[in-house]
Amino acid sequence: MRAGATELRRCLPSRQAALHLVARAMSASPAASARTSPPQTDDDADKPRLRALREQLAQEKASFGSFSKGQYSSPVPKRTRGEGGVVIHRKPPWLKAVPTQGENYQKLRDTVRELGLATVCEEAKCPNIGECWGGKEGTATATIMIMGDTCTRGCSFCAVKTSRAPPPLDPEEPEKVAKAIAAWGLDYVVLTSVDRDDIEDQGAAHFAKTVSNLKERRPKMLVECLTPDFRGEKDLIAQVALSGLDVYAHNVETVEGLQRRVRDHRAGYAQSMGVLEHAKAVTGGRVLTKTSLMLGCGETPPEIEATLRDLRNVGCDVVTFGQYLRPSKRHMPMKEYITPEAFEEWQRIADGMGFKYVASGPMVRSSYKAGEFYIKAIIEASRSGGAATDEEQAQAASSA
């Protein structure tokens, strides 16, 4: 009996393979999508694991039913070698980045070099740097990475340098950042940082000082902060949340079941949810809270839906979805490329859950400029007691 059970488990498809089979079925005829799981036999009575798998697949298939526009994802192709032994990794046609050129791109790059600033755009090798830095005056966006360019954590997806003992903080950095923003003439700025577990307050005071410095120079400027988790310490979260910022962002990154595979062991799903919840609570709901999810890491649609529900339960206002792209062969490999149609469906699902703004697309990143048009409209409308106009919403949609 034990040998038979072993053979049965060998014959069963892996969880990922089963999910791909279901994904392919989504583009089939309505009759095919309506098929139920195979009928059980008397022999199944002593095979609870088989029954559990069938029930789970049936539930997940029902959840996937809304993805009716086409295949949910495409597999990552194997690397091939071209002429001269050059490794070729062909990406799907929908993954096209804007070239890094243009007057604004040069202006932002030169200012960053001159002032010795670090940007997550460059350090994390963001594919949207050409589009964001090359935007028109007033819409160009650069995400400034404060507290240095070296992180104390080592997430498997991230291209930022890591070290247990990074260089000390630059006490003049808040002034340098304010000078850079003034030179760029931006009215919406995103600040982020590396994790600094080597510092007693993990850099919370430095973060807060940078925000207050910016607000002193440009009171009407909108400031978004994409923060570390501060190990969940509420006093540090509050220090940054109450510094005068307008948007408190912290990335959950992936679904609960993949946290240990994707993120550093010091991060965690519940801890990140707690950060977003406390930032909202300590400010009395006055600031927008925001997070981002990478897709293509091996997560399933039901897991994504569960994550969205958890985010709404902690009052998260804004969510973005983007395709995970492997920075190098040393980093976590991709599991699949999510199609544009699936990203559109996640946009619809998240909108229906009540998020104030959703940006969803293969090339979208947590600091992607498309979100800032509408987020800016939300903040300014709340200041004046109104709501974002149809024209402002249309501008945001056309920029996504």
Side-chain angles (χ1 to χ4, degrees):
M1 183 67 182
R2 181 174 301 174
T6 301
E7 291 301 317
L8 175 61
R9 284 195 295 272
R10 289 175 179 172
C11 293
L12 289 176
S14 68
R15 175 182 175 82
Q16 192 63 33
L19 294 177
H20 278 295
L21 289 173
V22 175
R24 285 201 297 269
M26 292 188 300
S27 59
S29 65
S33 64
R35 293 185 189 122
T36 57
S37 56
Q40 297 184 10
T41 66
D42 293 338
D43 293 337
D44 292 336
D46 59 348
K47 301 181 181 68
R49 294 182 64 182
L50 177 59
R51 291 201 306 273
L53 175 62
R54 285 173 172 167
E55 291 172 1
Q56 182 176 0
L57 289 177
Q59 293 173 358
E60 293 178 351
K61 182 173 180 178
S63 178
F64 297 171
S66 58
F67 293 101
S68 56
K69 293 184 179 180
Q71 191 178 23
Y72 181 77
S73 64
S74 65
V76 177
K78 293 183 178 180
R79 293 173 181 265
T80 59
R81 292 189 179 275
E83 296 181 5
V86 177
V87 176
I88 301 174
H89 183 183
R90 299 191 183 280
K91 297 178 181 177
W94 58 77
L95 287 174
K96 302 294 183 181
V98 174
T100 53
Q101 59 188 12
E103 183 178 346
N104 270 339
Y105 173 81
Q106 295 294 336
K107 179 181 176 181
L108 265 63
R109 189 188 67 174
D110 292 346
T111 306
V112 166
R113 300 286 190 277
E114 179 184 346
L115 297 176
L117 300 176
T119 69
V120 74
C121 317
E122 294 180 299
E123 299 297 332
K125 301 179 181 179
C126 179
N128 296 319
I129 188 170
E131 184 174 1
C132 291
W133 286 27
K136 297 178 181 178
E137 200 68 35
T139 64
T141 303
T143 300
I144 300 296
M145 188 164 70
I146 63 174
M147 301 199 289
D149 63 357
T150 306
C151 187
T152 53
R153 299 190 184 181
C155 296
S156 63
F157 67 90
C158 186
V160 175
K161 293 183 294 184
T162 63
S163 172
R164 292 182 179 179
L169 298 181
D170 177 5
E172 298 181 359
E173 186 173 52
E175 180 64 25
K176 290 180 180 179
V177 169
K179 183 179 179 181
I181 301 306
W184 289 332
L186 305 178
D187 54 6
Y188 191 113
V189 62
V190 182
L191 300 177
T192 190
S193 77
V194 292
D195 284 274
R196 294 300 301 258
D197 298 284
D198 59 315
I199 301 173
E200 184 176 357
D201 74 345
Q202 300 166 66
H206 192 88
F207 222 127
K209 184 178 179 181
T210 304
V211 175
S212 60
N213 194 300
L214 286 169
K215 285 292 189 176
E216 286 176 6
R217 285 175 170 259
R218 298 278 304 275
K220 294 185 178 180
M221 180 177 61
L222 302 178
V223 179
E224 174 182 329
C225 293
L226 176 57
T227 76
D229 59 23
F230 299 115
R231 295 199 292 264
E233 296 179 26
K234 291 186 176 181
D235 57 329
L236 303 182
I237 298 167
Q239 188 172 4
V240 177
L242 296 170
S243 64
L245 55 75
D246 300 284
V247 180
Y248 193 109
H250 173 68
N251 288 343
V252 176
E253 307 292 6
T254 188
V255 299
E256 185 172 15
L258 292 178
Q259 291 284 316
R260 292 302 297 271
R261 174 69 183 92
V262 173
R263 304 174 75 190
D264 185 274
H265 67 90
R266 287 162 286 189
Y269 186 82
Q271 185 165 275
S272 289
M273 289 290 176
V275 171
L276 293 167
E277 184 174 34
H278 190 61
K280 174 67 73 173
V282 77
T283 59
R286 292 188 302 275
V287 303
L288 291 178
T289 49
K290 176 182 176 183
T291 197
S292 181
L293 291 170
M294 299 181 296
L295 303 187
C297 302
E299 70 289 330
T300 67
E303 289 176 316
I304 299 171
E305 289 187 52
T307 303
L308 293 176
R309 287 192 296 270
D310 290 341
L311 288 169
R312 290 302 297 133
N313 287 338
V314 298
C316 186
D317 300 299
V318 179
V319 64
T320 68
F321 300 90
Q323 170 71 51
Y324 167 62
L325 297 174
R326 189 182 193 184
S328 76
K329 63 181 181 181
R330 300 191 309 273
H331 293 84
M332 176 184 72
M334 290 174 288
K335 293 294 185 181
E336 57 191 350
Y337 287 111
I338 307 302
T339 63
E341 291 82 5
F343 277 107
E344 289 176 11
E345 189 66 12
W346 284 122
Q347 170 106 31
R348 185 193 66 78
I349 291 172
D351 281 335
M353 289 184 172
F355 287 93
K356 292 183 178 179
Y357 180 77
V358 181
S360 181
M363 300 296 285
V364 168
R365 295 296 180 265
S366 59
S367 300
Y368 186 59
K369 70 176 186 177
E372 291 158 17
F373 289 104
Y374 190 46
I375 292 172
K376 178 183 174 184
I378 293 173
I379 296 170
E380 292 181 342
S382 66
R383 287 178 176 177
S384 61
T389 65
D390 292 340
E391 182 179 349
E392 288 167 334
Q393 295 185 41
Q395 183 185 23
S398 65
S399 304

